[in-house]
């Protein structure tokens, strides 16, 4: 299958299989997760420098940070495939053909290891403390300052003072990863998995690390669950859309509502108030405007967006 160029991806032109990328609102006017935005930045960096994106990143980021096992080679070479963890679906079955090829290098094309990503976290911390030449301190601090919805320039942010942290999740077909670091104090961790159902494993591992090392945040939250009767569970069933970001489903299993953010990754919903529900795998809440009802808010850290039932 032919691989599109970056410009073909941006224009949604064959052989690209994704929609074209265009500005939907003025920069800074609204919050929306945008892999396409990073593809625009990738093309801009190449236009300004006259160099391939992977060459720029190798010289300016990967080599200075000692990330010797990281690169942006797409499609993956035989050498990479020979030592890579291969992707699996949510049922644990290997994907036929192995890893996908991504021309969107900035958004999805880096091959790396947990140790190398940890070096990146350390590099960000060092830059923020004024101890690195990779990024000037003022720019590092700017990069870690929340802009909208607790998102900074590429990172989720949370907390303040000693609890100020930055984080980011990685999600390609067959891979789910998560990194978290504290701006000060040198604490952090990276968890990488090679399965579509790995996000729950990654976040549970991160919470276990936080508990073991006494981190100032990312600790398990204890909440009392309110009983859910069968009628309420049935009234909640359906598909719900998050504008611009996808959808999720609520089904009923053994009389209790089940939350499905991805196929094969269902988990029980627990009720904590009249209209608010939570899951155990992460700090995620569904806050209905009313019950029975069709609209509400989904909140998970800095992720705070509206949802609406699909007719």
């Amino acid at each position: 299958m032919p691989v599109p160029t970056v410009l073909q991806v941006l224009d949604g032109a064959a052989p690209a299989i994704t929609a074209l990328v265009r500005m939907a609102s003025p920069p800074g006017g609204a919050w929306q997760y945008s892999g396409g935005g990073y593809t625009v930045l990738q093309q801009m960096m190449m236009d300004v420098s006259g160099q391939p994106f992977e060459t720029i990143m190798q010289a300016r980021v990967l080599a200075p940070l000692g990330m010797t096992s990281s690169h942006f080679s797409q499609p993956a070479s035989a050498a990479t495939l020979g030592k890579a963890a291969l992707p699996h679906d949510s049922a644990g079955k290997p994907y036929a053909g192995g890893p996908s090829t991504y021309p969107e290098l900035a958004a999805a094309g880096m091959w790396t290891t947990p140790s190398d990503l940890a070096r990146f976290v350390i590099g960000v911390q060092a830059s923020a403390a004024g101890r690195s030449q990779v990024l000037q301190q003022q720019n590092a601090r700017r990069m870690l300052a929340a802009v909208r919805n607790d998102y900074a320039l590429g990172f989720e942010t949370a907390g303040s003072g000693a609890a100020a942290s930055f984080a980011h999740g990685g999600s390609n077909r067959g891979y789910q990863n998560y990194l978290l670091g504290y701006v000060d104090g040198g604490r952090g961790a990276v968890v990488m998995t090679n399965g579509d159902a790995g996000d729950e494993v990654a976040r549970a591992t991160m919470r276990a690390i936080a508990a073991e090392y006494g981190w100032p945040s990312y600790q398990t939250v204890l909440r009392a669950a309110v009983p859910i009767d069968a009628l309420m569970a049935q009234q909640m069933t359906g598909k719900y859309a998050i504008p611009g970001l996808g959808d999720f489903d609520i089904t009923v299993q053994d009389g209790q509502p089940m939350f499905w953010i991805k196929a094969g990754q269902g988990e029980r919903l627990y009720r904590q108030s009249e209209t608010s529900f939570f899951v155990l795998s992460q700090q995620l809440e569904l806050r209905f405007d009313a019950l029975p009802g069709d609209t509400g808010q989904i909140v998970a850290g800095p992720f705070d967006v509206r949802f609406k039932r699909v007719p």
Side-chain angles (χ1 to χ4, degrees):
M1 184 174 180
V3 179
T5 65
V6 178
L7 289 177
Q8 287 173 328
V9 170
L10 293 174
D11 287 337
I17 59 173
T18 51
L20 79 170
V21 177
R22 292 293 185 270
M23 187 172 69
S25 62
W31 178 89
Q32 184 175 1
Y33 191 96
S34 176
Y38 277 84
T39 307
V40 172
L41 289 176
Q42 174 184 336
Q43 185 63 50
M44 183 185 73
M45 290 168 65
M46 293 190 295
D47 290 344
V48 171
S49 68
Q51 296 179 313
F53 180 78
E54 53 268 39
T55 301
I56 302 169
M57 293 300 295
Q58 177 64 33
R60 293 181 175 270
V61 179
L62 303 182
L65 293 180
M67 298 174 65
T68 57
S69 296
S70 302
H71 57 81
F72 287 85
S73 300
Q74 295 283 342
S77 65
T80 295
L81 293 177
K83 57 185 179 181
L86 299 180
H88 293 69
D89 64 20
S90 57
K93 297 179 180 179
Y95 275 111
S100 298
T101 297
Y102 296 96
E104 309 95 328
L105 300 182
M110 184 171 75
W111 284 97
T112 190
T113 65
S115 296
D116 263 15
L117 274 188
R119 292 183 179 94
F120 171 74
V121 172
I122 293 169
V124 172
Q125 293 168 330
S127 295
R131 300 193 307 268
S132 173
Q133 298 302 312
V134 176
L135 191 63
Q136 292 181 354
Q137 184 178 24
Q138 61 182 11
N139 291 333
R141 289 284 174 175
R142 182 182 179 189
M143 184 175 70
L144 297 173
V147 178
R148 278 184 178 271
N149 221 26
D150 287 334
Y151 268 85
L153 301 181
F155 290 117
E156 308 168 28
T157 64
S160 60
S165 65
F166 58 95
H168 193 70
S171 179
N172 279 358
R173 191 188 74 148
Y175 299 97
Q176 292 287 320
N177 310 310
Y178 197 70
L179 70 79
L180 184 145
Y182 288 91
V183 178
D184 300 308
R187 293 162 296 196
V190 173
V191 183
M192 300 178 65
T193 74
N194 61 322
D196 284 336
D199 183 62
E200 185 174 342
V201 174
R203 292 179 184 272
T205 302
M206 197 69 75
R207 287 197 302 275
I209 295 171
E212 177 67 23
Y213 288 93
W215 284 0
S217 62
Y218 222 85
Q219 299 291 333
T220 298
V221 177
L222 298 179
R223 289 172 283 201
V226 180
I228 303 174
D229 61 51
L231 176 60
M232 176 178 289
Q234 192 61 45
Q235 291 173 335
M236 294 169 63
T237 61
K239 181 178 289 293
Y240 297 83
I242 306 171
L245 292 174
D247 51 44
F248 63 89
D249 295 278
I250 296 179
T251 63
V252 174
Q253 182 175 307
D254 298 327
Q256 297 299 312
M258 296 287 292
F259 174 73
W260 302 81
I261 194 69
K262 294 180 181 178
Q265 293 188 49
E267 56 183 312
R268 181 177 169 181
L269 274 173
Y270 294 85
R271 185 183 180 195
Q272 64 178 355
S273 69
E274 187 69 23
T275 57
S276 182
F277 299 81
F278 64 94
V279 296
L280 298 183
S281 66
Q282 57 181 301
Q283 292 183 25
L284 180 148
E285 295 182 15
L286 291 181
R287 301 171 183 173
F288 285 86
D289 295 326
L291 281 176
D294 298 328
T295 59
Q297 204 85 2
I298 183 168
V299 180
F303 188 80
D304 187 345
V305 295
R306 297 286 295 173
F307 64 79
K308 183 177 182 179
R309 190 193 299 262
V310 179

